[in-house]
Structures are given as structure tokens and as C-alpha cells.
Amino acid sequence: MKKYLLPNNKNVYKANLHCHSTLSDGKMAPEELAKAYYEHGYSVLSITDHEFFADHSDLNREDFLMLTGYELQIVDPVRPRRQGQKCAHMCIISKDPHKMKHFLFNPDAFDLRRLCHVPEKIPEMEYVGDILTEKYYDIELINEAARLANENGMLIAYNHPTWSLEGEDTYTKLKGFYAMEIYNNDCFYGLGLDEYNPRVYDSMLRSGQRLGCIATDDAHTVYPLGHPRCDLFGGWTNIYAEELTYENIIKALENGDYYASAGPTIKECYYEDGKVYVKTDEAQSITLSTGGRRSECERAAYGSSLSEGVFHVKPEDGYIRITVKDCYGRPANTRGYFLDEFFS
């Protein structure tokens, strides 16, 4: 029986789920960001300014949807921050566009009066639990953030582990995250860090976490549109949903109906009779990775390309996931599919 890993009967909406505006440390106003992404073919945008929600639903269009979100930071209270100091960043998306409850809030994490240039956009804060005057880096506190997010109707994603200097002692012990950033464009392209993290993602899957992977811009637009180091439009998530509504996009994220890309398009991915079939646009390689050492790869000869691959799935694989790379080495990644999903 054929089982589509990427839905074949839904619309595909291009999304950026992590960026910053002039409400925190970005250089473009929310209105400018929404216009830029809309004109670049995106259908979904979440402006995730640091430490507080802002409702940007006034920027919605008939064919463009804003998701209400923010980025939460957990870091030891050292001023100034040490160069080698670990921290944890997480993007929160509310399942209700007008529900904006904050938690684990540290009033010293960001000086809103200094950073915010559009004061009328700063909402009156609504908090869950105590306000923290000190927020020490700690795996229990990170997981507490995820617990509070889930209990209060929010999705939480784990961000840029390379920039955050985090290791397996952290990310293999996380609980309650719906996704992790497998690719972060601002870190990878803007800052030159190795923020393409398939190994981290595999470590999280092998630790028993069932979560998706997303690609984001994390745009701050320090460099303007058109500049070689501009951090917009480099990483996105293609979301499969019946229609472009807040409820449907949230449902798709919860169900794992999406894939991450920094270039290639995955046109089709399904399982049938012990094999996974993949169709793409022009690619240099298509790889099946598993929960163990085994993998399979289709690779084009130098100067040519391929657009499909067929791979075996074995009972001992645990999970499988697909990576597509184009001639520039840019990746697209499906989430990990555990084998019990194939027969549900």
C-alpha cells in the first residue's frame, strides 16, 4: 500500500518561521519584512522578536499569513556575555494568533526601551508563572520552557545549536519540541558558521525524540536587500496544508507535514512495498539516512543531474529521512519518519 510521507493532496505554502524586526534587534520594520517575503513568493511568516510576542495579524493578506511568535533565550546572567558561554534559543509560535502568554521571562534579557523603535507594537505583557530575575542555563529550565509552551497552547522549536555552543549533553535530553532548526541562514550564510546541523538532528532522533526539522532565515537584515550577505530568503520550510488559514498551518506543523529547504524542491516522497520513492527538481544527490549506520545514496555524474531515487527500508532502520542536495551543495531535508508511522 502506498503511503505518502509528504502529502500529495494538499497545497504547499512557503514559510519563514524565524526572523527579527525593529521591535528587537532587526533592521527592518515588521511591515517591511512582510512586504519583502510576500513579494519573494512566501505565503507564511512568523516574526519572532526576542523575549516578547507581538500580534502582526494586521499584516495578513488573502494569500499571506502571519504567525504570532517570539524567541525565548535562556542564558547565565553574565554581563557582558562571555564569548564561550552556552545559551539556548527557542522560537515559540502560538496556536491562537491573539494569545500571547510569556513564561520564564527575564526583564534584563532585553532592554525593550533601548531596542524597540515602534513602541505601539509592544503588547502589555501577560505572564505564566514567576518573572525570573536570573535565568541560569540549565537543561531542566529549557525543558520547563517546552512544558509551559505545550501546556499553554504553543509550539516550540529548538534553534541554532552551533551558534549557541550546545552539545549532545543538551540536545539529546530535550523534551516537548515540535521541531529543530536543521538550517539557519543568518548563522550559515551571514555569519559563516556551520549551522547546517543534520548530525544534531540525527542525534536528537536517535535519543528518542520525535520531532521535525525546519530551515529558517533568522533574518536580522544587518545587510540590506540585494547585498551579498543579506540573510533573507536563504532557508525556508514548505508546509502542506488544505488551505492558508492559521488553524490549518498550525495543524500541519503539529502533524509534521513539511520539509526544510535551502534550495531544492522535493516534489514527491512516498513509501510502498518496502521502498521509499523520491522525486525532486534537478539534484546532484538524493540520500536516505537511517537510525543506524546504513544509508543509501543516488548521485549524478559530474556535469549532470538526477530527479528521482528509490531506496530500501529495512526493519532495523528505526527511522528514515531524505536529504536532497543541488549542484551548489544546498540541502533539502525531510523530517525523520519512524517505521511504525509507515503502517499506521
Side-chain angles (χ1 to χ4, degrees):
M1 184 177 73
K2 182 181 294 187
K3 180 179 179 63
Y4 280 90
L5 305 182
L6 294 175
N8 69 323
N9 57 351
K10 296 182 179 179
N11 299 311
V12 183
Y13 299 106
K14 189 174 183 179
N16 178 37
L17 302 174
H18 182 184
C19 68
H20 300 278
S21 76
T22 50
L23 296 183
S24 60
D25 58 351
K27 301 301 181 184
M28 291 178 71
E31 297 80 4
E32 295 175 301
L33 281 170
K35 181 175 184 292
Y37 278 100
Y38 176 75
E39 292 180 348
H40 210 75
Y42 285 69
S43 300
V44 179
L45 176 64
S46 185
I47 297 177
T48 51
D49 279 307
H50 294 278
E51 299 301 322
F52 71 97
F53 276 119
D55 183 348
H56 296 295
S57 57
D58 58 313
L59 301 177
N60 287 345
R61 305 176 187 231
E62 184 179 346
D63 54 351
F64 187 77
L65 180 68
M66 300 294 297
L67 301 181
T68 300
Y70 82 103
E71 186 172 24
L72 172 67
Q73 172 182 255
I74 292 178
V75 63
D76 288 349
V78 176
R79 300 291 184 271
R81 184 185 299 173
R82 294 189 300 265
Q83 179 67 15
Q85 183 182 12
K86 287 184 179 181
C87 63
H89 283 208
M90 298 151 276
C91 275
I92 316 292
I93 294 177
S94 179
K95 297 180 186 180
D96 180 336
H98 310 301
K99 182 178 180 181
M100 298 179 287
K101 289 186 177 181
H102 300 75
F103 41 85
L104 303 184
F105 182 75
N106 181 350
D108 295 326
F110 262 82
D111 185 345
L112 301 182
R113 292 169 297 178
R114 176 176 61 85
L115 286 173
C116 296
H117 307 297
V118 193
E120 63 271 16
K121 273 282 190 179
I122 303 174
E124 183 177 344
M125 296 288 191
E126 183 179 358
Y127 302 103
V128 176
D130 296 331
I131 296 176
L132 302 180
T133 55
E134 292 185 342
K135 191 160 48 178
Y136 290 92
Y137 180 89
D138 180 85
I139 183 62
E140 284 75 20
L141 194 57
I142 297 169
N143 282 335
E144 176 69 0
R147 185 186 70 80
L148 288 168
N150 287 303
E151 284 186 359
N152 287 277
M154 300 171 191
L155 302 176
I156 184 167
Y158 176 62
N159 296 346
H160 49 58
T162 298
W163 183 91
S164 299
L165 302 180
E166 294 177 291
E168 287 195 347
D169 57 335
T170 297
Y171 51 71
T172 59
K173 298 176 181 178
L174 297 179
K175 299 176 182 179
F177 289 77
Y178 88 92
M180 63 84 67
E181 281 185 342
I182 198 167
Y183 177 87
N184 180 296
N185 192 57
D186 180 57
C187 293
F188 186 91
Y189 193 73
L191 301 179
L193 297 174
D194 188 12
E195 203 66 77
Y196 173 49
N197 286 298
R199 286 189 179 182
V200 173
Y201 185 47
D202 278 319
S203 292
M204 296 176 78
L205 294 174
R206 288 168 183 153
S207 74
Q209 299 176 65
R210 296 202 175 195
L211 75 172
C213 60
I214 58 177
T216 74
D217 279 341
D218 191 7
H220 292 73
T221 49
V222 173
Y223 298 92
L225 293 174
H227 191 282
R229 290 182 64 184
C230 180
D231 52 8
L232 273 70
F233 318 134
W236 59 90
T237 303
N238 282 333
I239 302 173
Y240 292 77
E242 292 180 0
E243 56 183 336
L244 187 62
T245 65
Y246 206 100
E247 179 182 8
N248 276 286
I249 294 299
I250 291 296
K251 181 180 178 181
L253 293 176
E254 290 182 304
N255 291 343
D257 291 339
Y258 55 84
Y259 71 90
S261 184
T265 297
I266 303 177
K267 296 180 177 180
E268 195 172 60
C269 183
Y270 64 89
Y271 170 84
E272 186 176 33
D273 297 333
K275 296 179 181 179
V276 167
Y277 297 78
V278 183
K279 294 183 180 180
T280 74
D281 56 5
E282 290 189 358
Q284 186 63 32
S285 66
I286 306 173
T287 303
L288 176 138
S289 302
T290 73
R293 184 174 290 111
R294 195 184 76 83
S295 64
E296 297 182 19
C297 183
E298 297 282 358
R299 192 177 300 277
Y302 181 78
S304 62
S305 63
L306 54 81
S307 59
E308 58 184 37
V310 181
F311 308 98
H312 298 87
V313 177
K314 299 187 176 182
E316 63 270 23
D317 287 339
Y319 68 84
I320 63 97
R321 63 179 186 84
I322 299 295
T323 302
V324 179
K325 289 189 176 180
D326 64 16
C327 63
Y328 301 103
R330 298 178 301 188
N333 299 86
T334 71
R335 68 173 175 90
Y337 297 94
F338 286 80
L339 297 198
D340 57 12
E341 296 181 61
F342 290 31
F343 312 106
S344 58

